[in-house]
Amino acid sequence: MFLEVNNVTKSFADKDRESFEVFSNIDLAINENQFVSLLGPSGCGKSTLLSMVAGLESVTEGTIQLDGENIVKAGPDRGMVFQQPSLFPWLNVKENVMFPLKQSISKQEASDRADHFLKMVHLSRFKDHYTHELSGGMQQRVAIARALAMDPKVLLMDEPFGALDEQTRHILHKELMKIWQETQKTILFVTHSIQEAIKLSDRVVVMGTRPGRIIADFQVDLPRPRRRDDEQVIALERKVMDLLENEIDKVLKEELSHENLH
């Protein structure tokens, strides 16, 4: 298996130094070239799990392996795209894409690679612009180009379109599908949107909360591009929604009982 999360537990110490378990015994196996979405209510640990695959968070128990190697720290074999593009405002678009490459390859090669991926995200004519001159959607495309230019084995995306309006999100969904089909990258994608997960993914992994865990793993064997009004899409959406509603109800009940105690 290409990416494996084996029996992983994550705990934090809270302000009273008591241990707080985000999730425990998570098992997840992802094939090469798969597009997998993690979906679940706030607090279920999906972004924490993504950060652990990125090597930005440590594992409390268990192992995460990529291509047979244990992940213990961040590395160029995993490209990360955050909800906010996190670009350098003092660099122009092309310099932002080149920035992480300059340590490992020649300046000319970095320049050629940046040009290639800026073309892929349709930003070639904006390569000399600064980030404040771009829309939110364009900034996110720069962030995607920068991650792809590293030629990672896995692209990790943490709600990359969550802050964008619906029209921009729709355009970027189409862009991402084209990029994924062209590059054949493995993508692990965190989202709150059931529609987004079903529209983009080969698999939708649903996480529950209190404690965080995987409660379902749906294979999405539907032809692309997928339409929201397709009966099979609607049926799958309903299944996922029913599962999530149970989890969200649990969270609300817990919060209400906690408030009543205080």
Side-chain angles (χ1 to χ4, degrees), residues 158-177:
D158 193 2
E159 293 197 67
F161 311 136
L164 304 173
D165 64 82
E166 195 168 349
Q167 285 165 305
T168 306
R169 206 158 50 227
H170 177 68
I171 291 163
L172 288 183
H173 285 163
K174 285 164 77 173
E175 292 283 326
L176 184 58
M177 277 295 95

Side-chain angles (χ1 to χ4, degrees), residues 198 218 220 222 232-241:
I198 292 171
F218 293 98
V220 190
L222 303 174
Q232 289 172 290
V233 169
I234 292 166
L236 182 53
E237 204 175 304
R238 202 170 289 135
K239 264 189 200 172
V240 176
M241 190 66 225

